[in-house]
Amino acid sequence: MTNPAPTTPQPPALQITQVAPGLHGLRLPLPFQLNHINVWLLEDRMPDGSPAWTLIDTGVASSLTRGIWEQVAGEFLQGWPVRQVIVTHFHPDHIGLADWLCRRFDAPLRMTRTEWLLARMLSLDSSDEIAEAGRRFYGAMGLDDEMLAALTVRGNAYARGVPMVPATFDRLADGVTLRIGDREWTIITSGGHSPEHACLYSADDGVLIAGDMVLPRISPNVSVWPAEPFADPLAEFLGGLARLRTLRADTLVLPSHGSPFSGLQGRIDELTHHHAERLNEAVGFCGEGPRTIAEITRMMFNRALDTHQMSFAAGEALAHLNHLERQGRLVRQRREDGVWLFSRS
């Protein structure tokens, strides 16, 4: 008896929605608990005035996602060329197919310098140092042996999700303005969720392409990672939210996950309050005695977590702890076995 030949997953029906004149959202599937990403297709013009497209974000690198993009090219793009591919930040669901799309449509990549450098470095790094840094980092958290083994066996998971990043790019920077079709967009950058995340804001139309900075239903992940274990990304993230809070009250927010929404300032208030609560909970918990990062993670995320979820949850718990240490509200010490302990100062 012979085994049947493997089949390639068939792309689902296109989910493209016009969210504003000349601006369309495409929903792509993700193989995670967060099961989709919204990418954006903007009607644009080539330098000679002929119609074109600008694409913002790409989806993960997979045969399924490539198949959907081929459907888009055949059924939606009307034969217009792609003038540019813009990526908001380096995470695999946003940049995974950037190299393929740029080659497929002969279009340049545009993103911030820090995000490109990090993506390019991580996609090319095949050294053992990444795995060793992960072992030291997660080992200092006090995780149980089973979870520690699961987290440290993965090596450079990023390179598997982002097999290639274009070798050249056009730099986006905070305050830069872009003319895309009939709109002028201003780049607003922020750290926290990623080092130099780019949002695009149209002041005239009151539209914000928010990437992962502001999401309608969930809190964007703000984590510390093995490469920079003492970083304070939460301070950067809260500072970025404060900048976005000054935008028009009637701004239409186009998030990377979830549905477009209004009420930007109210949502920013909710996110700010959420993190203030988490900080106070951590201080209270550590006031009962020295706590490991693993213990604080379980307090913050009181549910079963798989390996993928644990890496984000533990990183987010540490982001709050590092922030509190910077504020002088917690102190850190290292146990004899190398595990970090936090207690109220």
Side-chain angles (χ1 to χ4, degrees):
M1 184 176 182
T2 58
N3 293 324
T7 58
T8 301
Q10 292 301 307
L14 292 181
Q15 299 183 60
I16 298 179
T17 304
Q18 180 171 306
V19 294
L23 202 169
H24 310 269
L26 168 65
R27 178 157 289 194
L28 297 172
L30 293 177
F32 316 120
Q33 185 178 26
L34 186 60
N35 62 10
H36 72 275
I37 178 174
N38 303 318
V39 301
W40 310 101
L41 299 84
L42 281 63
E43 296 178 22
D44 201 354
R45 287 187 292 272
M46 299 298 285
D48 64 4
S50 60
W53 294 97
T54 284
L55 310 180
I56 300 181
D57 287 339
T58 74
V60 296
S62 71
S63 59
L64 176 61
T65 313
R66 284 191 294 271
I68 295 172
W69 276 113
E70 289 292 1
Q71 277 187 288
V72 171
E75 301 175 20
F76 185 78
L77 297 189
Q78 307 175 69
W80 300 356
V82 173
R83 186 166 77 89
Q84 58 191 343
V85 176
I86 295 175
V87 169
T88 58
H89 60 294
F90 83 100
H91 292 165
D93 51 334
H94 296 261
I95 199 175
L97 271 185
D99 184 72
W100 180 84
L101 279 172
C102 289
R103 294 175 186 272
R104 169 67 175 79
F105 294 110
D106 191 24
L109 172 67
R110 304 196 74 178
M111 61 190 302
T112 60
R113 178 185 288 166
T114 307
E115 301 289 330
W116 178 82
L117 286 169
L118 189 53
R120 179 78 177 169
M121 180 272 291
L122 287 172
S123 70
L124 294 174
D125 194 341
S126 59
S127 66
D128 294 332
E129 280 81 359
I130 285 183
E132 180 55 35
R135 279 190 286 271
R136 292 195 301 270
F137 180 73
Y138 292 113
M141 290 187 170
L143 297 164
D144 63 61
D145 292 343
E146 182 180 0
M147 180 57 72
L148 182 60
L151 283 168
T152 56
V153 76
R154 300 181 305 164
N156 186 359
Y158 185 88
R160 293 191 291 274
V162 185
M164 182 61 69
V165 173
T168 61
F169 76 112
D170 293 336
R171 183 187 178 192
L172 299 178
D174 188 65
V176 165
T177 57
L178 305 177
R179 172 64 65 173
I180 303 176
D182 296 327
R183 289 187 181 87
E184 187 172 87
W185 299 86
T186 300
I187 302 298
I188 303 174
T189 63
S190 176
H193 178 71
S194 68
E196 197 181 2
H197 182 294
C199 299
L200 289 83
Y201 179 58
S202 171
D204 290 339
D205 290 88
V207 178
L208 177 70
I209 297 177
D212 282 351
M213 274 299 296
V214 186
L215 303 175
R217 298 185 63 84
I218 62 174
S219 174
N221 180 257
V222 179
S223 280
V224 174
W225 297 101
E228 194 180 0
F230 299 100
D232 185 7
L234 185 56
E236 297 179 58
F237 181 72
L238 295 174
L241 290 183
R243 291 185 65 198
L244 294 178
R245 203 183 187 289
T246 65
L247 303 184
R248 284 174 45 170
D250 63 346
T251 294
L252 173 65
V253 183
L254 306 183
S256 290
H257 309 283
S259 299
F261 66 97
S262 57
L264 174 63
Q265 283 74 15
R267 182 59 182 147
I268 288 173
D269 288 346
E270 291 173 356
L271 291 170
T272 303
H273 179 69
H274 163 77
H275 286 291
E277 284 189 326
R278 283 286 173 87
L279 292 167
N280 289 333
E281 288 170 359
V283 170
F285 191 57
C286 293
E288 299 172 7
R291 300 292 186 177
T292 67
I293 299 166
E295 290 173 323
I296 297 163
T297 301
R298 287 192 290 272
M299 182 273 294
M300 286 186 171
F301 301 89
N302 188 22
R303 62 183 186 274
L305 299 170
D306 62 24
T307 304
H308 179 77
Q309 294 165 338
M310 177 58 80
S311 66
F312 285 92
E316 182 145 341
L318 183 55
H320 288 78
L321 297 172
N322 284 357
H323 188 68
L324 289 165
E325 184 184 22
R326 296 281 183 95
Q327 292 180 326
R329 298 173 68 187
L330 292 181
V331 294
R332 178 201 308 251
Q333 59 187 349
R334 190 181 289 274
R335 213 163 57 189
E336 289 184 0
D337 60 0
V339 172
W340 288 321
L341 297 172
F342 287 85
S343 55
R344 185 183 293 173
S345 59

